[in-house]
Amino acid sequence: MKETVIRQHLAENEGILNLIPVFVPRRFGSAGRRLKLHPDDYYALGTKRGSIKERWFSSVICAMNGEDAAADEGMSYVNIDGNLEHKISLKDFVDTLKADLIGKELFDKHGTWPMYSKFFDYEGPLFHHLHLGFEDAARVGKIGKPEAYYFPPQYNNYAGNFPHTYFGFDPDVTKAEVKERLKGYEDRDIRITELSRAYRIELGTGWYTPPGVIHAPGSYLTYEPQWNSDVNSVYENICDGEIYDYSFLVENCPEDKMRDLDYVIDLLDWEKNIDPHYRKTYFRPPIVITENEQYTEKWIAYGNDYIAAKELTVQPGQTVTIKDNTAYGCILVQGYGKIGKLDCACATMLRFGQLSQDEFFVSYDAASNGVTITNHSNCEPLVMLKHFPSNDSVPKME
């Protein structure tokens, strides 16, 4: 029965799925309150869970969010008929339709939709942390996590308390210096970012962060395409007035390695962390693909083997048909109109659990044949961010 509903729904909507907003709390940090969520709903899951600071897109995985999290926390669901009780997970769509949804090449290579994206929304800086590489993550039954950042102006009406991001360590820092700081993790403020370097965030640009590179994200709302993982090691024990216990450092280490600081330090991809040309290597200014009177399309995440993203801007009153060589998820950040046969509109204010018309998943066939997008405004552009796994069409870095 579910398979029949899934296949009929995809066909009736010409390969485009309207996804239901997924908001994720975190027990640390302060909410930036730029997610278009109603002010009363930032503690919708209770104060014990912390405030809501993330919105996840096109996700077939759960958030690593503690024992109090629901089994499906972080997973995307498809709006079937406007009734939340009838929703079906995007994972069920992928598992049922397989290559018919995401394309044969992608399904044969990964066996699932292998990435997701999110809005990351903190008022202050986040702790200095890394995401594990694939080999290190496999030791604890998980996978590595490369990720990319883009800072959309439409969602950044204010900069928060620290609009700078630390990446890696200064090229002259040694592993011995890092280890000496980590020895004091339970005793004092180790001030690990004294060994790092920070870059002021520039709206309308982005960065790529490989697994194994330590980073402390700044306080702008960030659009983050990333691999299917939620796994990290937190090197900073006191950040923005909050204390992080030792478990944050080693929660993704084998049990027999949790007191082995050499093992923890080896989670770092050391040469990438001390790259003397870090900005040149990992900064991602947008690359214009097409620009004309009707629309502008740009690469905003590129230059890696895992994840990619585009920004599409359709000018007022225009209708365009855009082809892509892959399935993709997308989020509308400005304007309103149509995507295929479905209405689309950037959210103004959402209640927790409410449906929306700003998030979609586009099947491989629909993307390949071309998606028609109409901007119904006569004065405001329609702007969409599109996320998908990297492929041969994505620009490489020299």
Side-chain angles (χ1 to χ4, degrees), residues 14-61:
E14 300 175 352
I16 301 175
L17 307 175
N18 174 213
L19 300 185
I20 299 169
V22 179
F23 292 103
V24 176
R26 296 293 190 183
R27 65 188 187 275
F28 46 79
S30 300
R33 297 179 178 268
R34 290 163 292 196
L35 290 173
K36 308 291 183 73
L37 188 60
H38 191 285
D40 291 346
D41 289 356
Y42 276 91
Y43 291 92
L45 293 173
T47 56
K48 181 181 179 182
R49 300 296 316 283
S51 56
I52 289 171
K53 306 175 186 75
E54 299 177 7
R55 180 177 170 185
W56 287 29
F57 309 120
S58 306
S59 169
V60 298
I61 68 164

Side-chain angles (χ1 to χ4, degrees), residues 113-185:
W113 176 248
M115 60 86 66
Y116 68 109
S117 191
K118 70 170 67 161
F119 280 157
F120 172 96
D121 180 37
Y122 287 71
E123 186 175 36
L126 195 62
F127 39 61
H128 215 29
H129 68 287
L130 62 85
H131 299 296
L132 275 63
F134 288 87
E135 290 185 11
D136 293 321
R139 296 189 185 101
V140 290
K142 299 177 181 177
I143 61 175
K145 183 184 177 184
E147 61 186 19
Y149 314 137
Y150 178 71
F151 310 104
Q154 295 88 351
Y155 266 76
N156 279 296
N157 55 302
Y158 80 105
N161 295 335
F162 192 81
H164 306 74
T165 293
Y166 289 96
F167 289 111
F169 293 112
D170 184 86
D172 294 325
V173 167
T174 65
K175 289 185 179 181
E177 289 178 276
V178 175
K179 183 176 181 180
E180 191 60 33
R181 297 286 179 129
L182 293 182
K183 285 179 180 178
Y185 202 97

Side-chain angles (χ1 to χ4, degrees), residues 58-214:
S58 306
S59 169
V60 298
I61 68 164
C62 301
M64 191 184 75
N65 222 3
E67 60 184 16
D68 294 321
D72 63 348
E73 188 161 284
M75 293 183 66
S76 293
Y77 281 82
V78 177
N79 173 17
I80 299 298
D81 58 8
N83 186 336
L84 286 169
E85 294 183 1
H86 298 161
K87 67 183 182 181
I88 297 176
S89 73
L90 179 60
K91 186 177 188 303
D92 281 343
F93 268 76
V94 174
D95 291 346
T96 300
L97 298 171
K98 302 180 173 62
D100 290 342
L101 181 67
I102 65 174
K104 184 179 187 303
E105 182 178 352
L106 196 57
F107 186 79
D108 287 350
K109 185 175 182 179
H110 300 289
T112 189
W113 176 248
M115 60 86 66
Y116 68 109
S117 191
K118 70 170 67 161
F119 280 157
F120 172 96
D121 180 37
Y122 287 71
E123 186 175 36
L126 195 62
F127 39 61
H128 215 29
H129 68 287
L130 62 85
H131 299 296
L132 275 63
F134 288 87
E135 290 185 11
D136 293 321
R139 296 189 185 101
V140 290
K142 299 177 181 177
I143 61 175
K145 183 184 177 184
E147 61 186 19
Y149 314 137
Y150 178 71
F151 310 104
Q154 295 88 351
Y155 266 76
N156 279 296
N157 55 302
Y158 80 105
N161 295 335
F162 192 81
H164 306 74
T165 293
Y166 289 96
F167 289 111
F169 293 112
D170 184 86
D172 294 325
V173 167
T174 65
K175 289 185 179 181
E177 289 178 276
V178 175
K179 183 176 181 180
E180 191 60 33
R181 297 286 179 129
L182 293 182
K183 285 179 180 178
Y185 202 97
E186 297 170 283
D187 305 319
R188 58 181 173 81
D189 183 353
I190 63 173
R191 298 194 297 271
I192 194 78
T193 52
E194 290 177 349
L195 304 181
S196 186
R197 49 197 163 172
Y199 299 85
R200 182 165 178 164
I201 295 170
E202 180 183 352
L203 293 182
T205 71
W207 296 79
Y208 171 61
T209 300
V213 170
I214 197 165

